[in-house]
Amino acid sequence: MNNDNLTFTETRLSDKAEPMLAGEFAPTWESLQKYEVPDWFRDAKFGIWAHWGPQCEPERGDWYARGMYEEGHWQYKSHLENYGHPSKLGFKDIINEWKAEEWDPEKLVAFYAKAGAKYFFALANHHDNFDLWDSTYQPWNSVNLGPKKNLIDGWAKAARHNNLRFGVSVHAAHAWTWYETAQGADKDGPMEGVPYDGRLTKEDGKGTWWEGYDPQDLYAQKHPVSTGKGLDWNWTAQGTSQPDAAYVEKLYNRTIDLINKYHPDAVYFDDTVLPLYPISDIGLKITAHYYNASESWHGGKNEAVVMGKVLSTPQKKAILWDVERGASDKLEPIAWQTCTCIGSWHYDRGIYDRKQYKGAATVIHMLTDVVSKNGNLLLSVPLRAGGMPDELEMKIVEEIGAWMNQNGEAIYGTRPWKIYGEGPVSEESNPVNEQGFNEGKSKPFTQADVRFTTKGKTLYAIVMAKPEGAIKIKSLGDKSNLFDGKITEVVVLGSDEGVKWSVSDEALTIEALNNVPNAIAVVLKVETE
């Protein structure tokens, strides 16, 4: 596939406002396939994400700015109870309520670094179309409104001060159709037929707190509602409303503005392939600009990472494949990433009340499995409206940090072995469904499940449960067609206990351990010659 196959050629726009930097990379798939994933990303393995914006203000979960306009939806009911009817108080007004009064980026990023994160991501905007920096092209931003703080600037400084690579996530491409529920009205009840606020204009703001601002810069709803079935993440389904040229150009300019101002090490696009792909080439232009800019920042070396979803094999050579809430079920030849969250993407107080977060063991097992398959894990820790995690989340992050402090050498800077692992879970088929969403569908891990990583001549065998009795690793037996070296030493990371081990034709056997240093997963460091 190349950018000559675009179906909406009107979006081949001028880049006069934010020129696309020329250089080694051109905005074509053929040119972008010269890209190589930088070593910093391949070595880092583990990142933490602040998926935090004005939709966290109600603390009622992800996609609030859409769900609050869906009559009967639980978020709509919560909005009625806590704020009033969306014809009178819409999402623009939620932004005004959001103050981020507890936000302390230095304290929080330092906490994440101590827990083992090697890169940090901040939400730059979401489908709600609100920019979280001093956006030149989007008046609805966190400097002008809501917190009146430059969140991206604060996050970037904190990440770099704590020696973490810094990434931004961009989700705003879909606001055009995602916000279409704001054009609706109740179909029943006392407010039947009263329009929600999704079609308000600047002229309607006289005498309001938002006077002088145009709600259409936020909602982007001066267009007919799509007639297709649900949201089309690919933009190509029959009946999907197509964004106009002004919307597309504004999205391009906003994203280039973000990149040029903050020089991120990575940009995550919450899109099928790239923003507005395949109806526009702006995603290809943004990527080429970013790669060329990175070379200019780093003395001719491209240190940038661009992440997209649902990629073809050739596209995985041009940008990094991201899998949402899931993982590949095989060892991938090219570096990739899974992104997941310990709760809802935007903070949901109900998950806290019900104590439904992913625990540290779940996260560590996912990280280990992903790293063994040549991937990285980006973990979202939801922040409350004020800008800090709750105490349950803090405890989970601390427990992750305790395991990483003990066993991180089996994760950081490693590369895959010949196979990613052995055991019952590896024998299952659990393919990725479109953009991901296959996590939690496998059997629970047992001590028979082992994941492998390597570093030079050292092989790490990670036992995915607290071992009871002897540990047997079949892939390291003398007659294995996989292992052709000689084992010289086996130690357990985090333990001073001498390990009794032997190798037979069938397996490497480690006798029962007297002391298990961590019940989540035990790492065997296997030295070879």
Side-chain angles (χ1 to χ4, degrees), residues 369-381:
D369 181 62
V370 165
V371 169
S372 74
K373 297 170 181 174
N374 205 21
N376 286 24
L377 175 65
L378 177 60
L379 178 70
S380 173
V381 179

Side-chain angles (χ1 to χ4, degrees), residues 234 271-273 308-312 315 321-322 434-436:
N234 303 303
D271 295 282
T272 296
V273 187
K309 300 178 182 179
V310 199
L311 305 182
S312 68
Q315 289 165 350
W321 180 40
D322 180 83
E434 291 294 330
Q435 68 264 48

Side-chain angles (χ1 to χ4, degrees), residues 325-337:
R325 288 194 184 272
S328 176
D329 62 356
K330 60 182 181 294
L331 198 164
E332 293 291 337
I334 301 174
W336 60 286
Q337 176 182 268

